[in-house]
Amino acid sequence: MFIRSLQFRTELVIYVLLDILPFFVLFFVWQAAFSGKTEINSFTLPQITQYYFLVMIIERVTSTYFENWRATEIREGKIDYFLTRPFSYINDVFSKDVGGKLVSLAISLPGLAVAFFLISLVLPVAPLSVAPHQIFIFIFFMITGYLIQFMIALWIVLLTFWFEGSSGLEHFKWISVSLFSGAMIPTTFMPTWIQSVYQFLPLKYIFAVPITYLQGTLSLTPGMFLELAIALLCMFGITRVFWHYALYQYSSAGG
C-alpha cells in the first residue's frame, strides 16, 4: 500500500488540499466572530486558531478513507484469498491503511507547515509551550484516536456482508466524528444536547481531549484513561463479533 500510494501521489495532494481548504474558511469565520471581542467562552482568537491547526494535524493522522473500496471488494467476492491464508482480511485492511497513511503524512505535513505559515501572516496564533511528557501523551491520543476511527470504518465495511449499500454510512461517520469529537467546534461552543452526547461517546478522545490538554485547559484524570481503555476494548470486541458472524454471510463465485 505504501508503494501503491506513491503511484497516486497527485491524488493524495488533492485530498490534502481539500482537507485544508475548509479550515481556511473557518479561520476567517472565527476572525469575523471575534471582531471587537477579545474573548468568547474562555477562548481568544489566537487560541482558536491554534485549536484548529491542531485539529488539522490530528485529522491527517487519525482519519480513514478505505470504506468504499473495501466494501466494493467484499461485494465482488474478492476476499477469498484471505479466508484461506493465516494473514487475515482485517490484518490486511489495517496494515495497508497504515502504509498508505505513512505516505499521506509525508506529503501532507509539509503542506500543513506551509498553511500554518500563511495563516500566521494574517491571523494571530497562540504560542504552544509543552513539556516532553505532554507530547508523548498527545501522540498516545493520536494513536488511540486512529484506532477508534479505524474500527468505526471497519464496522461500515463489515456491514457489507449484510447490507450492499453500507458504504454510504461513511458520510454519516464523517458527520458524527466531526460533530461529537470537537473537530468542528470546541466543546464550550456546543449546544447543551450535543455536549451531553459528546460526554457519553469516546469520540471526544480523538480531538477535543488531546487538544484542550495540550492547550492547558484540561487536566487528565485516571478515570479518563480507564474510560478510553474500556471503550477501545468494547470496540475491539464488537469488531471480533462482527467478523465472526460476517464469515457465515460471505459467498463468492463458486462458494
Side-chain angles (χ1 to χ4, degrees):
M1 194 64 183
F2 185 89
I3 297 172
R4 178 182 174 183
S5 297
L6 287 175
Q7 294 174 340
F8 298 96
R9 51 191 177 274
T10 303
E11 183 178 328
L12 280 173
V13 171
I14 293 173
Y15 279 131
V16 171
L17 290 175
L18 290 176
D19 284 342
I20 291 176
L21 285 176
F23 287 102
F24 274 90
V25 176
L26 276 174
F27 287 137
F28 292 106
V29 168
W30 280 106
Q31 184 184 36
F34 274 91
S35 179
K37 303 180 181 71
T38 57
E39 187 177 295
I40 302 177
N41 285 10
S42 302
F43 271 93
T44 63
L45 180 58
Q47 288 174 325
I48 283 287
T49 308
Q50 181 191 79
Y51 184 95
Y52 282 105
F53 269 117
L54 292 172
V55 167
M56 291 167 67
I57 293 171
I58 295 175
E59 185 176 51
R60 296 311 308 161
V61 174
T62 65
S63 58
T64 56
Y65 302 100
F66 59 79
E67 295 95 318
N68 187 55
W69 72 275
R70 285 295 187 174
T72 301
E73 194 174 52
I74 293 172
R75 283 198 303 270
E76 295 178 355
K78 294 180 178 179
I79 68 168
D80 299 32
Y81 176 87
F82 300 102
L83 305 183
T84 58
R85 295 292 187 274
F87 193 74
S88 75
Y89 181 64
I90 292 179
N91 287 339
D92 180 73
V93 175
F94 180 76
S95 59
K96 287 185 177 178
D97 189 57
V98 171
K101 189 167 291 297
L102 291 175
V103 178
S104 175
L105 287 173
I107 293 174
S108 61
L109 290 180
L112 290 177
V114 172
F116 177 82
F117 173 74
L118 293 176
I119 286 293
S120 64
L121 294 177
V122 293
L123 290 176
V125 182
L128 192 63
S129 299
V130 294
H133 74 276
Q134 289 179 296
I135 296 175
F136 285 115
I137 292 176
F138 184 74
I139 293 172
F140 165 79
F141 277 120
M142 285 199 289
I143 293 172
T144 56
Y146 168 72
L147 292 176
I148 291 172
Q149 293 225 56
F150 173 82
M151 283 190 278
I152 294 174
L154 188 59
W155 293 350
I156 294 172
V157 172
L158 294 181
L159 282 173
T160 308
F161 288 97
W162 290 273
F163 308 103
E164 186 173 345
S166 66
S167 58
L169 293 172
E170 180 180 7
H171 303 289
F172 177 75
K173 183 204 76 171
W174 292 345
I175 294 172
S176 299
V177 171
S178 297
L179 189 60
F180 298 116
S181 68
M184 182 180 296
I185 187 171
T187 314
T188 56
F189 294 94
M190 292 179 179
T192 305
W193 71 271
I194 294 183
Q195 288 190 33
S196 301
V197 178
Y198 159 87
Q199 293 295 340
F200 177 76
L201 296 175
L203 299 178
K204 60 180 175 286
Y205 293 105
I206 303 175
F207 291 98
V209 169
I211 291 175
T212 51
Y213 167 71
L214 208 63
Q215 289 186 318
T217 58
L218 175 71
S219 297
L220 299 177
T221 64
M224 291 181 177
F225 288 101
L226 179 61
E227 180 184 10
L228 177 58
I230 292 173
L232 287 171
L233 287 173
C234 289
M235 294 180 77
F236 179 74
I238 292 170
T239 303
R240 290 291 298 271
V241 171
F242 261 147
W243 177 242
H244 174 76
Y245 286 102
L247 291 175
Y248 291 102
Q249 296 290 327
Y250 181 68
S251 63
S252 62

